Amino acid sequence: MAGRIAIYPGSFDPPTNGHLDIVGRASKMFDRVVVGVGMNRAKKTFFSDDDRIALMKEACAAFTNVEVQGFDTLTVEFARNVGARFVIRGIRALSDFEFEFEMANMNRRLAPEIEMVFLMTAPEYLFLSASRVKELAAFGAPIVSDMVPPNVAKRLQAHGRKRALRTGATEPAD
Ligand code: ADP
């Protein structure tokens, strides 16, 4: 028997500690968790497909029953392809709920055999989002390293440095 398999799909642009908290909790609930990094969507991402997959792989390396794959199909198709009967999503606010509720109903129509599983964010990650992280990183805010795994913090710092060099922001103003 293959056991209980779940997917955790998302953009992970970049992975945050909120995402990793969900991965860790899901890894205790299921025999196998496949994190699906969405690729080639109409949505433009800051990090490339390969970067997002690599960052997520590194960040999840400690979880022995978690693997990371890119996917460019419908979420329910990705679930079927890896043999998963469960789709995990994280919920932070009411706005997440509305979006997820609509998606869940669509997924149910497409694949009634697949169950959506919603995990409530841990309170410390309630206001943490990948977009906020990118915004703060663009301004070089040091707080970012508390919000993302160390490998992502390193990448964001490198980006910040490149940006600062391009704009001359590191030069002393006279
Ligand atoms: P998507 O573009 O598919 O929403 P994201 O990478 O933004 O992808 O998020 C992936 C999943 O992780 C979503 O279910 C989202 O609600 C959840 N998530 C994002 N940030 C947090 C957080 N801080 N705490 C808990 N869940 C989160």
Side-chain angles (χ1 to χ4, degrees):
M1 202 182 101
R4 281 176 184 267
I5 306 172
I7 60 161
Y8 176 36
S11 314
F12 308 113
D13 185 36
T16 68
N17 289 341
H19 294 138
L20 267 298
D21 178 60
I22 299 284
V23 170
R25 287 157 61 193
S27 77
K28 293 186 198 139
M29 297 169 63
F30 296 94
D31 296 305
R32 188 171 152 229
V33 176
V34 184
V35 177
V37 178
M39 309 186 301
N40 302 333
R41 296 186 189 167
K43 201 156 144 184
K44 177 127 181 47
T45 54
F46 181 77
F47 287 105
S48 70
D49 295 347
D50 288 348
D51 279 351
R52 288 178 295 124
I53 293 168
L55 288 171
M56 202 49 167
K57 271 190 179 159
E58 282 166 21
C60 292
F63 302 109
T64 50
N65 62 341
V66 175
E67 66 187 84
V68 179
Q69 293 182 19
F71 76 102
D72 59 1
T73 60
L74 282 173
T75 300
V76 290
E77 260 172 58
F78 176 58
R80 281 175 174 157
N81 288 343
V82 301
R85 293 244 335 271
F86 304 92
V87 176
I88 297 158
R89 296 284 290 173
I91 296 268
R92 282 159 301 182
L94 219 52
S95 49
D96 278 348
F97 175 82
E98 268 187 45
F99 176 80
E100 297 297 338
F101 192 61
E102 195 193 310
M103 282 297 289
N105 280 302
M106 184 55 74
N107 286 343
R108 184 186 293 274
R109 283 174 62 185
L110 291 166
E113 80 280 12
I114 291 174
E115 196 64 62
M116 303 289 303
V117 178
F118 298 100
L119 296 184
M120 196 65 70
T121 183
E124 59 268 42
Y125 305 127
L126 184 57
F127 299 107
L128 178 53
S129 70
S131 6
R132 196 66 63 234
V133 162
K134 281 177 282 194
E135 214 169 271
L136 289 171
F139 289 102
I143 190 178
V144 166
S145 53
D146 296 337
M147 301 178 165
V148 294
N151 66 324
V152 174
K154 228 156 82 189
R155 275 300 298 273
L156 286 169
Q157 270 158 21
H159 266 292
R161 262 199 306 277
K162 259 193 256 162
R163 184 175 178 274
L165 286 173
R166 266 202 314 276
T167 58
T170 51
E171 307 291 350
D174 48 19

